[in-house]
Amino acid sequence: MKLASLNHGRDGQLVVVSRDLKTAAHVHDIAPTLQFALDNWDQVAADLEHIYRNLNDGLVTDSFSFNPAFCASPLPRAYQWADGSAYVNHVELVRKARGAEMPESFWSDPLMYQGMSDGFLAPNEDISVADESWGIDFEGEIAVVTNDVPMGTRTEEVHGHIKLLMLVNDVSLRNLIPGELGKGFGFFQSKPASSFSPVAVTPDELGESWHDYKLHQRLNVHLNGELFGNPHAGTDMTFNFAELVQHIAKSRHIAAGTIIGSGTVSNKDRSSGSCCIAERRMLEILEHGEAQTPFMKFGDTVRIEMLDDNNDSIFGAIEQKVVRYEHKYLEEDLNHHRPH
């Protein structure tokens, strides 16, 4: 089953989307929002699935053309957005480039931070940033959405708790990160609003591509219309999503509608490229002694998409442009801190 949220109020309006992403159907009489559906999944899932089957068979008389331009994030806001770093070779590479040893525990204990979740960017919404010097970067990732998960849930108990999968652009402001991490208290200003794919997909819809709690397809990332990377999301994923769920649930209950990210998809085989600029810059530093690829500038675009074995889009595409954010007092503050 494929679900999306049209732009409508703060929490969107839930629609069911056909497998080919061409048509959709309103389901407000079943579930007005995706959060409502997740809160009441056992009661509404069968009815939503019935609409989905009929939509694919052309039996929904009031269906309409699906246009991602009218979509909000599947969850326009969420009770929790926890992003991991499941591709540890990516972490190892970034640390190696700056001459830092990676603790051995990183291979056995996931890294994770709690990101901004009170409002996500729509999949085609501009990325507004006040200053290019902050080091604007994209991060192509996979995410899952859970139902209620009890504290203490183990990996062998996760089956059934993962209800949906999405793609992610975890926007990062790289030049703000060192100062924040140097304080020893984690990310905040360096992690603005993320964006997610137009469509969220149930695991059964992915067939053989979803197994071992990993999504076994390539993630395609284009920068300004040129392929930047297409690493295989199921390869080199040190911690699968069941392990990430277990990590979060160690000391807390997880509420329905929680989004859990994989971190930047990355392969040890560098021929498949990268899903973020920072990784490419690190490789350039290791090879040439200095970074050559600049971070994003105003006007740059990024596109993140995953295709199935038939080269059809699974989730629709995240496609965004970076634009300057202008605010009187923020601009005064920036001018004050810029060198003269």
Side-chain angles (χ1 to χ4, degrees):
M1 180 164 56
K2 299 191 176 187
L3 302 170
S5 294
L6 302 182
N7 278 307
H8 181 79
R10 288 196 170 191
D11 294 303
Q13 182 181 80
L14 183 65
V15 294
V16 172
V17 182
S18 62
R19 183 173 290 111
D20 60 10
L21 306 182
K22 292 183 178 179
T23 59
H26 292 290
V27 289
H28 46 76
D29 55 333
I30 301 173
T33 66
L34 181 54
Q35 184 61 53
F36 181 95
L38 290 161
D39 287 337
N40 302 277
W41 193 263
D42 291 343
Q43 290 74 46
V44 305
D47 290 337
L48 293 173
E49 182 69 34
H50 178 72
I51 297 292
Y52 180 65
R53 290 195 302 269
N54 285 344
L55 188 63
N56 289 324
D57 292 338
L59 301 177
V60 178
T61 57
D62 58 348
S63 64
F64 58 95
S65 295
F66 178 67
N67 186 346
F70 299 129
C71 285
S73 171
L75 281 169
R77 54 180 175 172
Y79 289 113
Q80 182 167 216
W81 157 229
D83 198 14
S85 194
Y87 299 85
V88 179
N89 61 281
H90 168 77
V91 181
E92 184 178 41
L93 173 66
V94 171
R95 293 178 70 91
K96 182 178 180 180
R98 67 172 189 260
E101 290 294 324
M102 191 179 75
E104 193 64 28
S105 63
F106 281 24
W107 292 101
S108 57
D109 190 29
L111 294 170
M112 189 164 286
Y113 80 93
Q114 199 163 24
M116 172 184 170
S117 65
D118 55 324
F120 298 122
L121 299 177
N124 296 141
E125 187 174 352
D126 290 342
I127 301 168
S128 297
V129 181
D131 195 334
E132 285 182 345
S133 71
W134 289 349
I136 308 161
D137 200 359
F138 50 83
E139 292 190 60
E141 306 184 11
I142 315 298
V144 298
V145 185
T146 73
N147 63 359
D148 291 314
V149 182
M151 182 166 57
T153 294
R154 308 291 295 177
T155 56
E156 60 268 23
E157 301 172 306
V158 170
H159 181 73
H161 285 301
I162 294 175
K163 296 303 182 186
L164 298 166
L165 287 92
M166 306 184 291
L167 304 182
V168 190
N169 180 16
D170 179 38
V171 180
S172 295
L173 303 176
R174 298 293 185 183
N175 293 337
L176 300 185
I177 289 176
E180 289 202 307
L181 295 186
K183 296 176 181 179
F185 216 57
F187 302 113
F188 197 84
Q189 292 178 333
S190 55
K191 291 288 188 175
S194 299
S195 56
F196 297 85
S197 51
V199 172
V201 176
T202 52
D204 62 290
E205 188 69 25
L206 299 166
E208 292 300 316
S209 294
W210 173 251
H211 61 86
D212 301 326
Y213 296 102
K214 300 177 183 180
L215 183 47
H216 295 264
Q217 292 288 356
R218 292 190 175 274
L219 186 62
N220 303 308
V221 178
H222 287 78
L223 175 62
N224 295 326
E226 295 186 3
L227 183 65
F228 196 85
N230 64 339
H232 193 275
T235 303
D236 302 318
M237 189 180 189
T238 308
F239 304 105
N240 65 28
F241 280 110
E243 292 168 314
L244 295 179
V245 171
Q246 174 182 281
H247 182 79
I248 298 177
K250 178 177 181 176
S251 60
R252 64 180 70 182
H253 299 292
I254 302 173
T258 289
I259 306 171
I260 302 170
S262 66
T264 306
V265 176
S266 178
N267 289 167
K268 293 178 182 178
D269 177 4
R270 303 303 178 190
S271 65
S272 59
S274 300
C275 283
C276 71
I277 295 173
E279 182 173 288
R280 177 177 285 188
R281 286 170 62 88
M282 294 306 109
L283 289 168
E284 291 168 347
I285 290 172
L286 293 172
E287 183 176 356
H288 306 293
E290 62 179 4
Q292 299 174 347
T293 302
F295 289 118
M296 297 183 80
K297 304 295 185 184
F298 298 136
D300 285 351
T301 60
V302 60
R303 180 183 175 94
I304 300 172
E305 189 173 25
M306 179 174 282
L307 307 179
D308 62 19
D309 292 338
N310 296 317
N311 286 324
D312 294 322
S313 184
I314 300 173
F315 303 91
I318 299 170
E319 192 158 10
Q320 298 176 282
K321 181 170 69 172
V322 176
V323 299
R324 181 190 298 275
Y325 176 76
E326 297 185 6
H327 185 282
K328 175 184 175 183
Y329 297 108
L330 181 57
E331 186 64 27
E332 289 176 355
D333 183 64
L334 290 172
N335 289 331
H336 177 74
H337 287 94
R338 287 184 182 122
H340 296 287

